Amino acid sequence: STALVPLAMALDLNATVDVAPVVAHLSLGFGPKNQGPAVVVSPDPSTGELALVSREHWLGVKLLDDALMIRAGRLQVPFGLRNPEHTSFVRSLTRSDTNTDQQHGLAVAFANELLRAELMGVLGNYQIRPDAVRERGYTGYVELFPLTGLGVGASSLLTWAERDLDRGAPTLRQAHGLFARWSPV
């Protein structure tokens, strides 16, 4: 017999409180026990129950008429194009999946009509243990808009950990690349 199993991508509740210039954001939800790095509270693994997850939780401050934002907490990794295809090859390869690969750290973002940029100091994922598997380093991007509808940019990510989560050996992880997007209409 075949059983139908629903595919639950993200059963999260997101809340943002914006009392200028301070902004606070929290996401809480449920996911399979194997959500790994997003899990906050995990049930008994033998039950197959859902685990409590938090993909993002941060506190920030907006400055310069909201063009500059400084945030601290568990954040989406600022790398590459921001799109919802979290399971794509590039997201898996760079571990910048928007479902589970957020990191704790401090980020500074700037955006206006001609430039969009963000740089994050990665302190590691404090939802996993031991400390030796937490990655430290930086990640960021810069994107310029030279023409209406055209954006060109670069991303860079460099982190290291005393012990890789999968292999158990010291690891240096890096990814660097160029990107462009164009909207002719």
Side-chain angles (χ1 to χ4, degrees):
S1 74
T2 303
L4 294 176
V5 178
L7 176 61
M9 293 298 285
L11 301 173
D12 293 8
L13 179 63
N14 292 288
T16 302
V17 176
D18 187 343
V19 182
V22 176
V23 181
H25 179 78
L26 171 68
S27 80
L28 282 177
F30 293 97
K33 162 75 172 83
N34 63 0
Q35 283 291 313
V39 170
V40 177
V41 176
S42 183
D44 178 351
S46 65
T47 65
E49 295 176 35
L50 295 177
L52 180 64
V53 297
S54 176
R55 290 172 178 77
E56 291 183 86
H57 44 266
W58 50 264
L59 186 62
V61 61
K62 296 187 289 187
L63 305 165
L64 303 177
D65 292 326
D66 296 346
L68 180 70
M69 182 173 228
I70 302 169
R71 300 181 299 155
R74 181 172 163 89
L75 309 164
Q76 296 283 352
V77 176
F79 182 85
L81 292 174
R82 305 314 306 162
N83 58 27
E85 289 89 16
H86 73 88
T87 58
S88 66
F89 173 73
V90 71
R91 291 281 175 225
S92 297
L93 189 65
T94 60
R95 283 193 270 184
S96 57
D97 182 326
T98 58
N99 190 38
T100 60
D101 291 323
Q102 299 80 5
Q103 295 279 357
H104 289 83
L106 178 68
V108 177
F110 179 83
N112 66 18
E113 309 81 41
L114 301 174
L115 173 75
R116 187 175 69 96
E118 186 169 4
L119 181 64
M120 177 179 174
V122 176
L123 301 176
N125 180 356
Y126 284 86
Q127 289 171 211
I128 59 174
R129 289 179 183 73
D131 186 65
V133 300
R134 294 185 183 131
E135 297 178 332
R136 269 94 179 180
Y138 78 87
T139 181
Y141 67 85
V142 61
E143 184 175 19
L144 299 171
F145 303 100
L147 303 170
T148 301
L150 175 66
V152 293
S155 288
S156 180
L157 178 146
L158 180 100
T159 61
W160 64 92
E162 291 176 36
R163 197 170 81 217
D164 183 82
L165 198 57
D166 300 320
R167 297 177 297 129
T171 184
L172 173 66
R173 184 167 70 94
Q174 56 183 326
H176 314 282
L178 302 174
F179 62 86
R181 54 187 168 156
W182 178 50
S183 175
V185 179

